[in-house]
Amino acid sequence: MSLLSGIGKIRLNGKKELTKSKQVLSLPEPEIVYIPLIIGASTDFDVHVSEGDYVHKGTKLATRKDIYVPLYSPVSGTVKGIEKRMHTSGKIQNHLLIENDFKDDEITPFSYDNPDSLSAEELVEAIKEIGILGLGGSGFPTYVKYQNAKNIEAVLINAVECEPYLTSDYKVMEKHSEELLDGTHFLMKAGHAGKGIIAVKVTNKDLILKLKEKAAKFNDIEIVGVPDAYPMGWERVLIREIFKKEYERFPSEIGIIVNNATTAIYLSEALRQKKAITHRIVTVSGEGIKNPENVYVPIGTSVDYIIDKIGGYNDKCEEIVVLAGGPMMGKSIANDQFVISSYSNSVTILPKKDTDEMPCLRCGLCVEYCPAKIQPVQIMNGEKMKDLDSVTNAGADKCITCGLCSFICPSKIEVTDWVGKAKTRIANARKAGGK
Amino acid sequence: MKIIFKRTTPNYRNILSTQEIMLYLTITLLIVSAVSAGYYFTLGADYGIKAVLMIAVSLISAYLCEAAYFYMLKEKDILKAVNRSFPYVTAILFALILPIGTPYYVVISGSLFSILIGKLIFGGFGQNIFNPALIGRVFVMMSYGDKLTAVLPSKAVDSVSGATPTTMLSGTGWSGNVGVSLTNLYIGFYKGSIGETFALLIIILGIFLAIKKVLDWRLPVFYIGTSFIITFITALVHGLSPFGFALVQIGIGGLIFGGVFMLTDPVTSPSSPYGKIIFAIGAAFFTMLLRYRSNMPEGVLYSILIMNMLTPMIDRYTISPTNENENRKKIYVIGLIGISALLITLFWRGA
C-alpha cells in the first residue's frame, strides 16, 4: 500500500473453481462458422473469397486494411456470403459465413521450414503473417509491438488471468507448457530481448512448479509468482509489481514488451506445426448456465450453439446477462448470437442482479483502489457538471475501465460508467480540437 | 429465461455496502455508549440512567425530525427514506459528545438542529458540508453553554467536581495538573462528554473500523500523530516534560474521539489520500491553535468544522492522479507538520 496513491488492486473471489479442474471439452464442430470482419475498432477488410468458393482449413479469407492482420478459415467448406450479426463489441457487424463440410481439408497457409533459424526481422514478419493477436482478450496485433521496438530488455509473458471466472489461459498453459517457453523464446528473439519473464498467480502453485521445472533448462526465462489480485493482469499493474517501475504510454519505453501466455503458445504452434489459429479454448462459465466448462471450438462458433451443447441455461434464473468476457470487464451482449473470435477468452453468463444505488459517501474507496491512480469520485462529479477541464485535470483518459471503482463502491454507484463518459468527453474534445 | 442487455459494467460487486459501513459504525458507537453507561452507573443509578436516556432521547428526536421532513416532502415510503438517511449515526454521535449534566430539552433541540440544519437542508445524506453532529454541538454550546456541565442538575453540590480536564487545564494556562492520572485519562473513567473519554477503547474500535474499510486510517493517524508532534515540540521548547505533556494534550478534549469518529466522516472529508492527510494535519493545527489562543478551549470541535469548510478546496487542489509527484507531496506533508509545530510553539502563551 502506498501512503499517497493507495492500494491500486484488490483480492476478489475469482470463482475459478467452477471450471479450473474440469477437462477441456472438445465440442463437435458447428455446421456454419461466422468469421467476424472486425478487429478492435476496425471494420475495413479486404475479402479474398466470394460466395460459393471452396475454402480449405487455413485458406486466407480476408485481411484487415489499416493494420495488416490476415484471417484464415478455421474449417474447410463453402463460403456462403456475408451476413450482419451480433458481435462481441455489442454492435451488429459483418460476418463471413462458411459452411463446414467436416472434411478437415487443411492447407498450410505459410511455411517457415526452420523457424529456429529465422532472424529477428523475419520472426516479426512471421508473427504478422500468422495473424497473431493479443489472445488474452485485447485482440491487438502482436507484431506491431515488435516492429519499432528498441532497446528491449525483457519480454514479460502475462499468464496472470486476473478476471474472475476465467480459466482458459490456465487450461492452455496446463497442456502446453513446453510451447509456452518455446513461444516466449521466439518473442524474446523477435524483440532482441535477453530475458523472458512469465508471471503466474501464486495461487496456481502446480503450474508454477511445472513451469519452473521446464524453465530450469534455460537460464534466460524466469517464472515469477504474483499476488492473487485484480487487475494484476493489466500490464501497468503487472510491471509495477515486478519491476517497481512506471511508464507514460507503452511498456516499451522502459524496455519491456508484454504478451499474453496463450499468444506465446499459439505462436510456437503456428511456427512449428505450420498451422493458422483455427480453434481456441474458451471459458463458458457463470451461475446463469447449468454446466460451466472450458470448450475447444473453431473460431466463428456461435455462443448459443456452445451453450446448447454444454447443457443450456440455468432454468432457475429468470433473467440473465450474457457477457463477452468476464464479469469485471466483459460487455453485456443483447443476445447469444455472437461468435467466438480468436481473441475471445470467455463468455460469462450471470443471473441479472439489481443494485440498490445510494448517495455517494465520498468515502474515497474508489480512489484508494484505482489501479490507474486517478480519482473516480472526482471525475464522476466533474462529469456530472459536464466540466471538461476538471475531468481532464483528473486524468480521466488514463482509465482502462477495469471496473474496480464500481466494484468497490459501497453505495453501488456506476462509477466506471461515469468515468467512461468523461473519457468520451475528453476524446470528443480532442477530435473537435483537431489534436 | 430471458437475456437482458445491461448497459453498465462491471457485473460483479463487492459485498461491503454503505448500509454495512453505517452498521459497523453504529456497532462501535453502541459499544462506546454501553461502556459509558456502565461507567456512569458506577457513579450512581441516576447518572447511568441519564446517560442511557440522553442517547435514547437524541435518537428519538432525530428519527421524528427525519420522518416529519420526508412527510413534508411527500415521500411515498417514509420509513425507507429515513432508513436511507441514517439518522441514528448522527444522533448517537451527538449524544456522545455531550456532558452528563446536559438537560433533555438541550439534547432534543441539539439533535433536531444536527439533523435538520446539519444535514437535511443541504439535500440530505451525502450532501452536507459540515459534520452534522458537530453542528448540533456548536448550536447547543452557543445557546445553552452554561447548562453543559458534567454534573447532574439535581446534584449541584455533589462532591464530584463539575470541571472536565480540558476546562481545568485551560484555567491553569495548559501546564497545570490535569486532575486525572495519565492511565485513567486513557482508560476514560473521568468526566468529560459522555462518550469521548474512553480513549483506549476508541483507538481499538478505530483500528477495527480501519481494517473493515469503514474509515481511512490516514485521518486519525495523521490527526493524532500531528497533534502529538506539535505538542511534543511545544513542550520541548518551553521546558516542559515533552512526553507527559503531549500525552495529556492528545488524551483530553475528545481529541481521540474526534479523530476516530468525527474527522473520518467521509461525506465531509476529502476523498483522496493526499487530501485526507492535508485535512488531518490542518485539523490538528487548528485544534491546538484554538485550544491555546482562543476563549473556547473546545479546539477539536471547531477545528474539524473549519477543515470541513476547506474540504472542497482541498479536493480541488488534489484532483490530479494520486501517483504524480509523490516525493514532492511527501515533502509538503512533512513541511506542513513542521510549520504547524513551529507556529503553535510560537503562539503558545506558556505557563
Side-chain angles (χ1 to χ4, degrees):
Chain A
M1 186 196 323
S2 162
L3 176 66
L4 294 172
S5 61
I7 301 169
K9 53 181 184 278
I10 193 172
R11 179 157 192 182
L12 41 76
N13 183 355
K15 307 260 186 146
K16 308 257 184 192
E17 68 284 354
L18 289 175
T19 52
K20 196 173 171 181
S21 53
K22 285 188 184 174
Q23 290 284 318
V24 174
L25 278 184
S26 277
L27 293 188
E29 290 192 353
E31 276 171 28
I32 291 178
V33 294
Y34 309 84
I35 308 301
L37 295 176
I38 167 174
I39 295 172
S42 171
T43 52
D44 197 8
F45 280 77
D46 269 333
V47 181
H48 309 307
V49 292
S50 40
E51 199 174 332
D53 283 2
Y54 181 81
V55 292
H56 299 271
K57 182 177 176 179
T59 299
K60 195 194 256 189
L61 297 172
T63 45
R64 174 175 164 180
K65 276 192 201 163
D66 56 347
I67 305 175
Y68 179 84
V69 179
L71 296 175
Y72 298 100
S73 179
V75 296
S76 60
T78 318
V79 176
K80 285 287 172 190
I82 289 176
E83 188 185 290
K84 291 223 180 267
R85 203 179 161 86
M86 182 56 87
H87 180 253
T88 50
S89 60
K91 295 192 184 104
I92 304 289
Q93 306 287 1
N94 282 334
H95 287 66
L96 193 62
L97 263 65
I98 297 163
E99 192 179 52
N100 194 351
D101 65 1
F102 298 99
K103 288 188 180 132
D104 223 11
D105 183 2
E106 192 166 1
I107 58 159
T108 304
F110 38 75
S111 177
Y112 305 100
D113 286 332
N114 187 1
D116 291 313
S117 67
L118 295 174
S119 71
E121 289 66 34
E122 286 167 336
L123 256 177
V124 175
E125 201 51 42
I127 294 169
K128 180 176 174 181
E129 197 49 46
I130 291 164
I132 292 269
L133 303 170
L135 299 182
S138 75
F140 185 77
T142 304
Y143 74 89
V144 177
K145 293 184 181 179
Y146 288 87
Q147 251 175 353
N148 298 311
K150 283 193 191 85
N151 307 323
I152 297 303
E153 283 162 29
V155 169
L156 175 56
I157 299 297
N158 184 348
V160 180
E161 203 168 44
C162 60
E163 177 86 33
Y165 293 90
L166 270 60
T167 53
S168 56
D169 276 352
Y170 177 82
K171 281 300 182 192
V172 180
M173 286 189 284
E174 199 180 37
K175 204 170 159 192
H176 300 285
S177 49
E178 294 276 0
E179 286 85 346
L180 176 59
L181 293 165
D182 189 42
T184 307
H185 272 133
F186 280 125
L187 291 169
M188 285 159 62
K189 193 170 175 190
H192 299 286
K195 203 174 168 194
I197 297 172
I198 302 176
V200 187
K201 267 190 188 174
V202 284
T203 40
N204 290 332
K205 287 192 193 97
D206 296 353
L207 186 61
I208 292 183
L209 271 181
K210 195 169 170 184
L211 289 175
K212 277 199 169 152
E213 211 174 278
K214 298 253 157 89
K217 275 185 280 179
F218 316 102
N219 52 13
D220 53 356
I221 294 186
E222 194 188 340
I223 314 297
V224 178
V226 294
D228 179 14
Y230 180 86
M232 203 70 233
W234 178 28
E235 55 190 23
R236 194 175 285 276
V237 177
L238 193 57
I239 287 174
R240 198 178 280 153
E241 176 71 32
I242 295 175
F243 297 92
K244 316 282 177 223
K245 276 186 187 165
E246 297 282 340
Y247 53 88
E248 269 309 302
R249 296 185 65 206
F250 304 109
S252 58
E253 292 159 22
I254 52 170
I256 301 163
I257 293 181
V258 185
N259 282 122
N260 166 267
T262 304
T263 305
I265 291 167
Y266 271 75
L267 174 64
S268 160
E269 288 194 341
L271 288 170
R272 302 255 177 235
Q273 299 165 27
K274 305 176 179 59
K275 274 167 67 178
I277 307 170
T278 59
H279 291 61
R280 74 158 293 151
I281 293 177
V282 186
T283 304
V284 184
S285 186
E287 285 78 8
I289 50 169
K290 281 184 191 145
N291 304 308
E293 297 282 1
N294 273 297
V295 296
Y296 182 74
V297 290
I299 308 299
T301 305
S302 184
V303 168
D304 57 348
Y305 173 83
I306 299 175
I307 288 173
D308 185 50
K309 290 284 174 211
I310 61 172
Y313 291 107
N314 186 347
D315 308 323
K316 286 175 203 143
C317 305
E318 278 184 19
E319 292 182 327
I320 52 165
V321 284
V322 179
L323 307 170
M328 292 298 282
M329 293 191 75
K331 250 186 156 169
S332 166
I333 309 291
N335 61 40
D336 54 9
Q337 311 286 303
F338 64 99
V339 301
I340 302 303
S341 307
S342 62
Y343 52 90
S344 310
N345 50 16
S346 64
V347 179
T348 310
I349 298 102
L350 299 173
K352 182 175 174 274
K353 273 189 200 142
D354 289 317
T355 43
D356 181 18
E357 193 169 312
M358 297 284 295
C360 175
L361 269 178
R362 304 173 16 86
C363 63
L365 282 177
C366 53
V367 183
E368 178 84 29
Y369 283 97
C370 177
K373 309 285 183 186
I374 52 176
Q375 300 184 37
V377 55
Q378 295 243 43
I379 295 168
M380 176 174 80
N381 292 336
E383 178 57 26
K384 280 180 179 168
M385 295 193 281
K386 300 187 164 59
D387 181 352
L388 178 66
D389 280 348
S390 113
V391 297
T392 311
N393 292 341
D397 53 342
K398 291 190 174 180
C399 168
I400 49 149
T401 48
C402 73
L404 200 45
C405 46
S406 286
F407 174 84
I408 199 75
C409 180
S411 287
K412 314 294 167 201
I413 298 166
E414 305 287 357
V415 194
T416 309
D417 286 6
W418 282 106
V419 181
K421 282 176 198 159
K423 247 171 102 176
T424 314
R425 180 176 303 281
I426 295 175
N428 289 343
R430 280 198 184 136
K431 253 185 246 160
K435 271 183 243 169
Chain B
M1 205 288 309
K2 205 172 140 201
I3 297 175
I4 305 288
F5 173 63
K6 204 167 157 289
R7 206 168 290 279
T8 56
T9 57
N11 284 276
Y12 209 46
R13 293 305 177 95
N14 198 17
I15 304 160
L16 182 73
S17 64
T18 297
Q19 287 86 338
E20 270 181 4
I21 285 183
M22 292 302 164
L23 186 69
Y24 280 126
L25 196 56
T26 310
I27 290 170
T28 52
L29 288 174
L30 288 176
I31 292 172
V32 176
S33 308
V35 171
S36 172
Y39 163 65
Y40 281 102
F41 269 108
T42 64
L43 295 182
D46 47 354
Y47 272 100
I49 291 166
K50 178 73 194 288
V52 173
L53 282 181
M54 274 169 69
I55 296 166
V57 163
S58 177
L59 271 169
I60 294 166
S61 317
Y63 266 92
L64 290 177
C65 178
E66 295 243 354
Y69 172 80
F70 285 114
Y71 175 76
M72 282 190 280
L73 282 190
K74 298 195 168 66
E75 194 75 39
K76 281 191 195 86
D77 192 343
I78 292 177
L79 190 67
K80 190 183 168 197
V82 172
N83 279 337
R84 290 169 71 99
S85 182
F86 307 103
Y88 49 87
V89 178
T90 304
I92 301 174
L93 274 173
F94 173 68
L96 290 180
I97 53 176
L98 293 173
I100 193 77
T102 312
Y104 291 119
Y105 67 90
V106 175
V107 179
I108 293 169
S109 56
S111 176
L112 294 177
F113 197 90
S114 291
I115 297 290
L116 192 66
I117 311 296
K119 184 175 74 179
L120 294 177
I121 61 159
F122 287 104
F125 179 72
Q127 305 291 325
N128 47 300
I129 294 169
F130 297 105
N131 187 313
L134 292 182
I135 285 282
R137 183 67 166 80
V138 170
F139 168 72
V140 297
M141 203 150 67
M142 300 282 191
S143 313
Y144 316 99
D146 58 327
K147 305 282 195 307
L148 304 180
T149 61
V151 213
L152 289 188
S154 58
K155 295 197 176 179
V157 285
D158 190 86
S159 58
V160 191
S161 160
T164 64
T166 321
T167 46
M168 268 184 70
L169 263 185
S170 79
T172 66
W174 295 101
S175 55
N177 195 332
V178 70
V180 178
S181 77
L182 198 58
T183 323
N184 200 13
L185 192 62
Y186 279 83
I187 293 172
F189 292 159
Y190 66 95
K191 285 184 179 171
S193 297
I194 60 173
E196 68 185 25
T197 60
F198 308 96
L200 217 54
L201 173 71
I202 293 164
I203 291 172
I204 293 166
L205 295 173
I207 293 170
F208 167 75
L209 292 175
I211 291 169
K212 285 287 176 193
K213 297 282 168 206
V214 172
L215 57 81
D216 193 304
W217 62 272
R218 295 174 182 90
L219 289 160
V221 166
F222 274 86
Y223 179 61
I224 298 168
T226 307
S227 299
F228 185 87
I229 293 170
I230 290 176
T231 48
F232 187 89
I233 292 177
T234 305
L236 205 64
V237 171
H238 292 277
L240 300 165
S241 147
F243 269 109
F245 183 76
L247 284 177
V248 167
Q249 289 295 314
I250 59 174
I252 60 167
L255 193 146
I256 289 173
F257 185 88
V260 171
F261 288 116
M262 295 295 187
L263 199 71
T264 52
D265 171 16
V267 178
T268 55
S269 59
S271 51
S272 71
Y274 184 42
K276 285 178 205 273
I277 291 171
I278 296 175
F279 177 82
I281 295 173
F285 170 72
F286 282 114
T287 300
M288 296 309 160
L289 184 71
L290 294 171
R291 227 180 233 185
Y292 302 145
R293 294 301 292 206
S294 84
N295 296 328
M296 292 161 294
E298 297 293 337
V300 175
L301 172 61
Y302 288 107
S303 69
I304 294 174
L305 289 173
I306 290 171
M307 292 315 289
N308 286 164
M309 230 165 13
L310 297 179
T311 292
M313 211 180 82
I314 297 173
D315 265 343
R316 209 172 165 74
Y317 171 67
T318 58
I319 195 169
S320 59
T322 52
N323 62 345
E324 272 178 15
N325 306 322
E326 280 193 78
N327 288 332
R328 195 194 298 168
K329 285 177 189 167
K330 280 177 192 161
I331 293 170
Y332 286 173
V333 166
I334 295 168
L336 264 182
I337 297 174
I339 292 170
S340 303
L342 183 73
L343 288 176
I344 298 297
T345 307
L346 291 174
F347 288 157
W348 201 60
R349 262 192 272 249

